[in-house]
Amino acid sequence: MKKINKILLLLVAVFAIACNSEPTLQKYYVEHQNDDNFVLIDVPSSLFIGDNSAVSEEDKKVIASIRKANVLALPINETNQQFFTQEKAVMETILKDEKYKVLMSFGSSNRNVKVMYLGEEKAIDEVIVYASDDTKGFAVARLLGDNMNFSAIIKLMKSATNGDLDLNLGVFQNFGSEIKKKSGNTNKKDTISIEVNDSLKVKI
């Protein structure tokens, strides 16, 4: 009986290790945060969302539900083409997990954008925007919070583009500069930008 119990405990331990070794977006971020090929920014909402005392109570609730934003980018340069192909495959394998629910997806053969989320549509824990271009690189932007509502967030982003929301985007300036530096071309415009009009648009 003792031998059976030991075998069962061993099987449980092996199963637990196997489960913990599954790739996740969070693990990927942690594993690559000190990799010189990547550019990473992790910003609490208090740093990029300013004083919005004049906005509606509905918008204040949305703002309060956002904890932080982080972005991980892998720009392509002359020396890392093979590394990019390898890491892009890893990233896309992670995002195929059914827990990442796709809201929209568009692109072409060498350019791809996906908007996904974790949680329930009216109680989202994380909004994910994945954008890749085989000539420029890829980036994954994450908006993390508690019980966020996607429709309300899109509405808030539209308010931001109209200038109705106080945002401190200066905290992201160094991030854009680092992307240019690692891509080997400091003269080109920002590699990736996101704009919200009547629909969500991602430019690469």
Side-chain angles (χ1 to χ4, degrees), residues 94-190:
I94 291 171
L95 295 177
K96 282 179 182 177
D97 192 309
E98 61 184 12
K99 70 182 176 184
Y100 299 109
K101 301 167 187 174
V102 179
L103 280 164
M104 61 184 80
S105 179
F106 46 95
S108 59
S109 58
N110 67 340
R111 186 176 284 191
N112 181 34
V113 175
K114 283 186 179 180
V115 182
M116 294 158 282
Y117 67 94
L118 282 173
E120 301 302 321
E121 194 164 342
K122 293 185 179 179
I124 293 172
D125 297 317
E126 185 173 335
V127 177
I128 302 151
V129 180
Y130 168 68
S132 70
D133 184 308
D134 288 345
T135 64
K136 296 179 180 179
F138 73 73
V140 186
R142 302 164 71 208
L143 193 66
L144 296 97
D146 301 298
N147 296 321
M148 297 182 293
N149 183 297
F150 184 77
S151 298
I153 288 174
I154 291 297
K155 180 176 175 290
L156 191 70
M157 290 173 72
K158 289 180 180 178
S159 296
T161 60
N162 293 332
D164 300 329
L165 192 67
D166 180 18
L167 293 176
N168 176 24
L169 299 181
V171 296
F172 296 97
Q173 286 180 352
N174 288 338
F175 179 77
S177 299
E178 281 297 310
I179 287 180
K180 291 177 184 178
K181 188 189 301 181
K182 289 186 186 293
S183 66
N185 188 347
T186 56
N187 294 320
K188 66 183 180 182
K189 295 181 180 179
D190 290 345

Side-chain angles (χ1 to χ4, degrees), residues 83-93 130 132 134 138:
F83 180 75
F84 163 76
T85 302
Q86 169 191 312
E87 293 305 311
K88 178 187 173 188
V90 172
M91 177 57 66
E92 294 187 351
T93 297
Y130 168 68
S132 70
D134 288 345
F138 73 73

